[in-house]
Amino acid sequence: MLERISGSLLDPGALYASNIELFHSPALRGLNLVMGFTGFADAGHVVRQINAELLDTLDAEPVAVFDADQLIDYRSRRPHISFVEDHLQDYQQPKLALYQLTDGLGSPFLLLAGFEPDLQWERFARAVVGIVEKLDVNLVTWIHSIPMPVPHTRPVGVTVHGNRPELIEGISVWKPTVDVPAAVGHILELRLMEAGRNVAGYVIHVPHYLAEAEYPPAAVAGLEFLGAATSLMLPADRLREAGREVGRQIAEQVAASDDVQQVVTRLEERYDEKAEGTVRRSLLADENDELPNGDELGAAVEAYLARENPHP
């Protein structure tokens, strides 16, 4: 049962209602936390796709639900509702919640997913840091995506940041020094580091000419990076299949236009020039940059298959 945590108007705990029994369960202590907020520079709709894939594919149990009325500006970001002939239905109420999920190998983890707050960022950050400390979260990872002048014909790039060097070195393909508009994830990362918590953020690079459309390959890459960082087997099969269909559509459009072909070719040349001599660390490597042996990989695959196809 969800219960409002008491406190003053400025009490960060008053921003959410928690499932009391689950919130205080020892089973939630020491897990990894994945975060994804929609509404900020979600190029290729990467965060929306990842959140939907995790919540639709894995069993999700709400741990805490945040009060949208305190955090969202409805007039600047109006929710959708359907008008059907003579009545209204399907009001898409904004939602931001913390869930407990279990991956393909039976490992539990936490997911904080939903809209990016418009208001009370610092109070929201205090609330999240408080939850992380109460649950003694092992590692916080979060993801967002930006448009980049890169071709769709090359591997999806990523920039990693945070306070876990073993998750950053050899992974990032773009290391700029630049002022950017802040997102609530950036504020959370700063406040989590100030609190001495482990955190890593992943910025997925989406070809700028595909940024407004749904681009499943970028979402698949995001799930792979998150899974590698947290040692979780996250579902991506449906997105991979959707990505193959999108790839076919893009190939047809490129082939039909000489101008588009020239743009893609120039982007490929620029990408290859910058990538020359750059070696990216495998996502399978551990913190010592060592790959798992055949027995370790085999055990993981067998456990996954046993879970997906249990014997009656």
Side-chain angles (χ1 to χ4, degrees):
M1 181 176 180
L2 297 176
E3 176 180 294
R4 175 73 60 190
I5 296 178
S6 61
S8 69
L9 290 177
L10 297 180
D11 177 7
L15 280 177
Y16 62 89
S18 64
N19 181 329
I20 298 299
E21 182 177 354
L22 183 58
F23 192 83
H24 294 288
S25 169
L28 254 61
R29 302 299 184 272
L31 302 182
N32 292 318
L33 168 62
V34 175
M35 303 190 304
F37 306 100
T38 58
F40 167 74
D42 192 15
H45 303 284
V46 168
V47 175
R48 188 189 65 77
Q49 291 182 84
I50 287 177
N51 288 349
E53 189 70 7
L54 293 176
L55 292 173
D56 292 347
T57 304
L58 305 177
D59 292 331
E61 187 171 5
V63 177
V65 177
F66 284 85
D67 187 352
D69 279 355
Q70 297 190 64
L71 296 174
I72 198 169
D73 179 359
Y74 290 96
R75 293 182 63 181
S76 66
R77 190 164 23 149
R78 295 179 184 270
H80 287 190
I81 191 169
S82 297
F83 180 83
V84 182
E85 297 183 355
D86 59 358
H87 65 278
L88 299 172
Q89 66 181 43
D90 301 328
Y91 171 53
Q92 298 178 27
Q93 184 174 358
K95 189 170 185 180
L96 175 58
L98 177 70
Y99 305 89
Q100 179 192 26
L101 292 85
T102 304
D103 79 343
L105 293 177
S107 299
F109 68 100
L110 299 169
L111 172 69
L112 178 57
F115 65 85
E116 179 191 43
D118 295 315
L119 310 170
Q120 305 191 52
W121 278 15
E122 290 292 354
R123 187 179 176 207
F124 174 70
R126 292 200 305 273
V128 174
V129 172
I131 290 173
V132 168
E133 292 181 332
K134 288 176 183 177
L135 300 183
D136 192 25
V137 169
N138 175 55
L139 170 67
V140 179
T141 57
W142 70 286
I143 193 159
H144 65 293
S145 56
I146 59 174
M148 290 283 285
V150 294
H152 69 280
T153 53
R154 298 296 185 265
V156 175
V158 65
T159 296
V160 194
H161 44 82
N163 59 359
R164 293 288 300 273
E166 73 277 12
L167 299 179
I168 298 173
E169 295 301 322
I171 298 295
S172 293
V173 297
W174 184 57
K175 296 183 178 181
T177 299
V178 61
D179 290 332
V180 297
V184 77
H186 297 129
I187 305 305
L188 286 173
E189 182 174 316
L190 288 174
R191 300 297 174 250
L192 286 165
M193 289 194 295
E194 291 170 357
R197 312 303 305 195
N198 295 322
V199 59
Y202 292 82
V203 188
I204 302 299
H205 305 169
V206 176
H208 65 282
Y209 51 90
L210 300 173
E212 298 300 320
E214 206 170 79
Y215 190 53
V220 171
L223 284 168
E224 290 175 343
F225 283 111
L226 291 172
T230 56
S231 298
L232 295 170
M233 182 170 285
L234 303 179
D237 289 345
R238 295 191 308 180
L239 287 173
R240 284 194 180 90
E241 181 58 34
R244 284 190 281 270
E245 176 58 29
V246 168
R248 286 191 289 268
Q249 295 174 7
I250 294 172
E252 291 175 359
Q253 295 176 19
V254 172
S257 171
D258 291 338
D259 291 340
V260 174
Q261 290 179 36
Q262 291 176 12
V263 170
V264 173
T265 298
R266 286 195 295 268
L267 289 173
E268 289 173 336
E269 291 171 350
R270 280 189 58 189
Y271 181 96
D272 293 341
E273 288 175 2
K274 292 183 176 295
E276 186 176 359
T278 301
V279 178
R280 292 178 62 185
R281 180 162 59 90
S282 170
L283 292 179
L284 294 176
D286 61 18
E287 61 268 22
N288 296 317
D289 207 27
E290 295 180 354
L291 292 171
N293 59 38
D295 291 339
E296 293 170 333
L297 286 174
V301 171
E302 288 177 5
Y304 173 73
L305 293 176
R307 177 174 175 80
E308 293 297 305
N309 302 287
H311 295 294

